[in-house]
Amino acid sequence: MIIRLERIPRPGETILGGRFVTAPGGKGANQAVAAARAGGRVVFVARVGRDMFGDRAVAGFVKDRIDVSHVVRDGTAASGVALIFVAKDGENSIAVASGANANLSPSDVKRASSAIAGADALVMQLETPLATVQAAAGMASKAEVPVLLNPAPAPARPLPRRLLREVSILTPNETEAELLTGIKVSDRASASKAATKLRALGVGAVIITLGRRGAFVAGEAGERMVPGFKVKAVDTTAAGDVFNGALAVALGEGRALADAVRFANAAAAISVTRLGAQPSAPRRQEIDRLLGKG
Ligand code: ADP
């Protein structure tokens, strides 16, 4: 729920004159929608409340042809929401109530075990409980399903070594890479250092997204920069989510890592030319067109 207004209210202050809009969001949901639009067959494992927001979220997933049989309607918690103030100068202030997301449990994941074991990839982020992420990673790696973890929002504590060893591809942005490694990431050389450190902890491949510059990739085939696409950025909200959703689809289609990253860069570049999170996720045709294959 977003209110655009002159400036962000101070504690105790009331400001009139705002404009209110709602937009579907949440990292997991954004990534699922991005993957579905990029051409993936998506099974979404998630929790929403039995409220209006949950109804709307599920209806949106269905519209994008996402399999919602593992989207649990929580009997007690409300759907996760974020209250966002955006000031005229672009500054924002965000309060998140995780609600049902915080209840996504290892048993929810267990119920989805056949979907996970039969998938081309498992994609996760950290807006759901770490224990649940760990349970899913364990299940996928046992079934030899590649695990793609987007470590966002940046974790407050270091990620468990065991989890990192089960991650096939870790996709931090610059801030998250710094928080995970203690290395300030600002260019190729520092990205390389951070990626080396993460790979030494057992992660298969590391992709550090670098905004408009694209992404740095470090895997078994070596290291390289995969440049981003030049576009006119309007709103970079969810660029990382679109990147991750599209990346999973490209990898699932059997593309090599650098090629998959180019596909993800294209999808994310299109998304930043449009307002909003989920509404901005591009369809396959648009991605192929930017890649010169349309
Ligand atoms: P996050 O949104 O998680 O902070 P980034 O800012 O690194 O992540 O962006 C993720 C990806 O989105 C980048 O790797 C790139 O492919 C694409 N991207 C982001 N900003 C731009 C931009 N201004 N122009 C083109 N592509 C962009």
Side-chain angles (χ1 to χ4, degrees):
M1 281 168 270
I2 307 155
I3 297 185
R4 293 182 187 281
L5 72 182
E6 196 60 31
R7 58 181 176 77
I8 292 165
R10 281 188 287 270
E13 187 184 24
T14 302
I15 301 180
L16 300 181
R19 275 190 305 129
F20 177 63
V21 290
T22 62
K27 289 185 192 302
N30 294 344
Q31 293 174 3
V33 166
R37 295 210 187 133
R41 273 180 44 219
V42 178
V43 180
F44 191 31
V45 183
R47 260 183 195 258
V48 295
R50 285 193 188 140
D51 49 25
M52 185 183 79
F53 302 112
D55 294 344
R56 275 216 245 166
V58 172
F61 302 146
V62 170
K63 214 169 156 195
D64 274 307
R65 298 170 188 272
I66 292 168
D67 179 338
V68 294
S69 50
H70 294 289
V71 177
V72 180
R73 302 300 296 260
D74 197 295
T76 52
S79 294
V81 295
L83 302 185
I84 305 173
F85 294 136
V86 183
K88 217 175 170 184
D89 62 4
E91 199 181 356
N92 64 33
S93 165
I94 304 177
V96 174
S98 297
N101 292 291
N103 290 350
L104 190 72
S105 65
S107 32
D108 292 334
V109 164
K110 226 182 213 158
R111 275 192 290 274
S113 59
S114 61
I116 292 172
D120 293 319
L122 171 71
V123 184
M124 300 186 290
Q125 38 70 43
L126 299 176
E127 281 186 342
T128 42
L130 191 61
T132 308
V133 168
Q134 286 178 279
M139 205 175 279
S141 71
K142 225 180 182 175
E144 292 183 22
V145 172
V147 175
L148 197 162
L149 177 65
N150 175 220
R157 263 174 280 147
L159 290 170
R161 285 293 291 266
R162 172 151 185 211
L163 173 63
L164 291 172
R165 280 196 297 270
E166 286 168 342
V167 170
S168 321
I169 303 179
L170 191 74
T171 60
N173 65 14
E174 288 155 291
T175 318
E176 290 142 11
E178 178 177 350
L179 272 158
L180 289 168
T181 61
I183 296 164
K184 182 155 179 50
V185 175
S186 56
D187 54 13
R188 184 187 169 138
S190 50
S192 169
K193 256 196 219 152
T196 302
K197 193 161 176 185
L198 289 166
R199 292 193 71 214
L201 294 172
V203 171
V206 176
I207 299 172
I208 303 178
T209 61
L210 300 166
R212 67 186 157 73
R213 283 167 296 160
F216 177 81
V217 183
E220 254 159 40
E223 297 187 339
R224 60 178 287 191
M225 273 294 302
V226 182
F229 288 81
K230 274 207 175 63
V231 293
K232 191 167 175 287
V234 172
D235 177 5
T236 58
T237 315
D241 296 337
V242 171
F243 182 95
N244 280 280
L247 178 70
V249 172
L251 292 169
E253 289 175 0
R255 293 179 200 232
L257 195 56
D259 195 26
V261 169
R262 201 170 104 81
F263 183 87
N265 275 340
I270 298 169
S271 80
V272 307
T273 65
R274 302 172 184 163
L275 285 176
Q278 272 166 46
S280 73
R283 295 180 193 285
R284 178 58 172 257
Q285 245 187 348
E286 303 171 279
I287 304 169
D288 284 343
R289 208 178 302 139
L290 183 58
L291 288 168
K293 289 178 187 161

